[in-house]
Amino acid sequence: MKQYIELSEEVQQAKAEGKAIVALESTIISHGMPYPQNIEMAREVEQIVRDNGAVPATIAIMDGTIKVGLTAEELELFGQSSDVAKVSRRDLPHIIATKQLGATTVATTMICADLADIKIFVTGGIGGVHRGAETTMDISADLEELAQTDVAVVCAGAKSILDLALTLEYLETKGVPVIGYETEVLPAFYTRTSDHPLNFSTDSVDVIADVLKTKWDLNLKGGAVIANPIPEEYAMDQTYIDGIINQAIKEAEDNQISGKDSTPFLLAKVKELTNGKSLDANIELVKHNTKVGTQIAVCFNNQAQIIPNQF
Ligand code: PSU
Ligand code: MN
């Protein structure tokens, strides 16, 4: 196992010192945002983690290993290179064995974070059940991963390019807690609200850390979704963004986009149709998630050290 994983020096040192570590994904860099905004976002996010008392571990695949923590040069490579594979659970062994460059999705970042014993992961949005999935069966592997891998994902909910109601149903079936941070409804990424109430909501990062510890102490396998709404000042108008998303979905259908290309196509199309405004919102919500997620990671790390995990 160990031969497949390489921790950056900063992450190794954090582990030695018992510091909190926050996992970050690379698909959002290589396939979720254009260059150079992707790299600027990735750098800023890493700095926000440091400023809030933890250490960032951006995860990606290169040279036949899982890199947990990237150097500035490696980060730049993932932002610029056009031949980075989008790596979900299915793709991981192939991309490692053939020594290709791979950007990790939410699912794969969870797998790799868990291997490195990092429990808190921050991103923008998770994949979910796509609209029309009752015929296409397009359901993101992110949801299966949340069902089985013990990593919490801090995000701004899920985008309405997805079927949010079915996404919540799926998470319920799989026993994945969805915890609203300062919200009682599922945030819809670009907007703070949606029509979908959540079962759990809190204004306290301590409570979230406590719920996570309790879940894993009880050996309840799987992750959790921490849904943190986009800050008010960056939220988009719901009617406007809904119209844009509907148009993007129609263009995806017209172009017969499917499989792993679907989410990157829709993200790029939404950005184009909003003249870049969706990208600004996306960057701001990731930064906010990073602040909240790092606070959770620090609380979780403190609890894990104070409370012994044994009878
Ligand atoms: N949603 C975003 N930005 C992203 C993604 C989702 O707003 O970059 C990426 C994440 O890496 C997520 C992946 O895990 O898309 C989901 O892809 P799929 O739907 O093919 O599972
Ligand atoms: Mn899919």
Side-chain angles (χ1 to χ4, degrees):
M1 172 77 77
K2 286 261 189 296
Q3 77 262 34
Y4 296 112
I5 305 186
E6 207 178 296
L7 308 190
S8 69
E9 268 178 38
E10 190 184 13
V11 170
Q12 282 182 42
Q13 198 179 339
K15 285 209 167 274
E17 292 171 1
K19 261 183 112 168
I21 305 174
V22 174
L24 301 161
E25 64 157 308
S26 44
T27 291
I28 189 173
I29 303 172
S30 296
H31 301 279
M33 292 182 189
Y35 183 82
Q37 288 95 333
N38 57 358
I39 283 300
E40 285 158 18
M41 177 279 303
R43 281 198 210 108
E44 267 186 274
V45 159
E46 290 202 343
Q47 196 51 46
I48 293 170
V49 174
R50 294 187 190 101
D51 292 345
N52 284 275
V55 163
T58 303
I59 295 178
I61 316 298
M62 89 189 269
D63 303 330
T65 52
I66 296 165
K67 299 259 185 191
V68 178
L70 301 182
T71 64
E73 296 75 40
E74 288 165 346
L75 208 58
E76 183 73 26
L77 177 67
F78 280 94
Q80 282 213 29
S81 178
S82 56
D83 58 346
V84 180
K86 176 180 162 189
V87 182
S88 197
R89 171 179 271 268
R90 170 192 67 180
D91 315 291
L92 188 57
H94 181 80
I95 300 300
I96 292 178
T98 56
K99 300 190 166 42
Q100 296 181 60
L101 282 181
T104 53
T105 62
V106 168
T108 312
T109 307
M110 289 178 72
I111 295 170
C112 300
D114 192 40
L115 290 173
D117 199 24
I118 300 171
K119 304 318 254 177
I120 312 293
F121 160 30
V122 169
T123 189
I126 55 167
V129 180
H130 280 259
R131 294 197 209 169
E134 55 276 30
T135 50
T136 63
M137 291 188 68
D138 189 350
I139 299 173
S140 175
D142 293 352
L143 299 185
E144 283 302 318
E145 212 56 56
L146 281 160
Q148 61 179 315
T149 300
D150 301 359
V151 171
V153 182
V154 182
C155 64
K159 279 194 207 58
S160 53
I161 60 172
L162 303 168
D163 187 319
L164 298 184
L166 292 188
T167 300
L168 285 176
E169 289 290 354
Y170 201 98
L171 290 167
E172 179 180 339
T173 301
K174 296 290 180 174
V176 179
V178 180
I179 304 169
Y181 179 69
E182 296 181 338
T183 180
E184 294 190 349
V185 296
L186 181 71
F189 200 85
Y190 300 118
T191 56
R192 291 176 58 82
T193 60
S194 70
D195 298 333
H196 309 283
L198 296 174
N199 294 89
F200 314 106
S201 150
T202 179
D203 297 345
S204 157
V205 290
D206 273 302
V207 168
I208 294 174
D210 215 359
V211 170
L212 294 174
K213 183 170 188 302
T214 305
K215 174 175 164 77
W216 294 323
D217 277 352
L218 291 169
N219 277 329
L220 294 169
K221 295 296 293 173
V225 175
I226 319 301
N228 178 41
I230 182 171
E232 185 82 61
E233 60 268 42
Y234 303 111
M236 300 183 79
D237 179 76
Q238 183 160 357
T239 314
Y240 169 71
I241 196 69
D242 282 351
I244 298 275
I245 285 171
N246 287 338
Q247 192 179 338
I249 288 174
K250 184 171 179 308
E251 290 196 33
E253 281 166 7
D254 291 348
N255 289 288
Q256 297 178 353
I257 308 289
S258 66
K260 69 196 284 188
D261 298 329
S262 183
T263 298
F265 178 92
L266 290 169
L267 289 176
K269 192 50 81 180
V270 168
K271 174 189 171 260
E272 181 192 316
L273 295 171
T274 60
N275 296 317
K277 276 194 282 210
S278 68
L279 179 59
D280 298 339
N282 197 342
I283 291 169
E284 293 303 331
L285 67 85
V286 175
K287 289 183 352 193
H288 186 231
N289 291 344
T290 306
K291 191 170 166 213
V292 171
T294 305
Q295 290 169 358
I296 294 169
V298 169
C299 286
F300 183 81
N301 195 50
N302 290 340
Q303 289 187 0
Q305 284 173 359
I306 300 164
I307 309 163
N309 189 6
Q310 274 168 2
F311 291 100

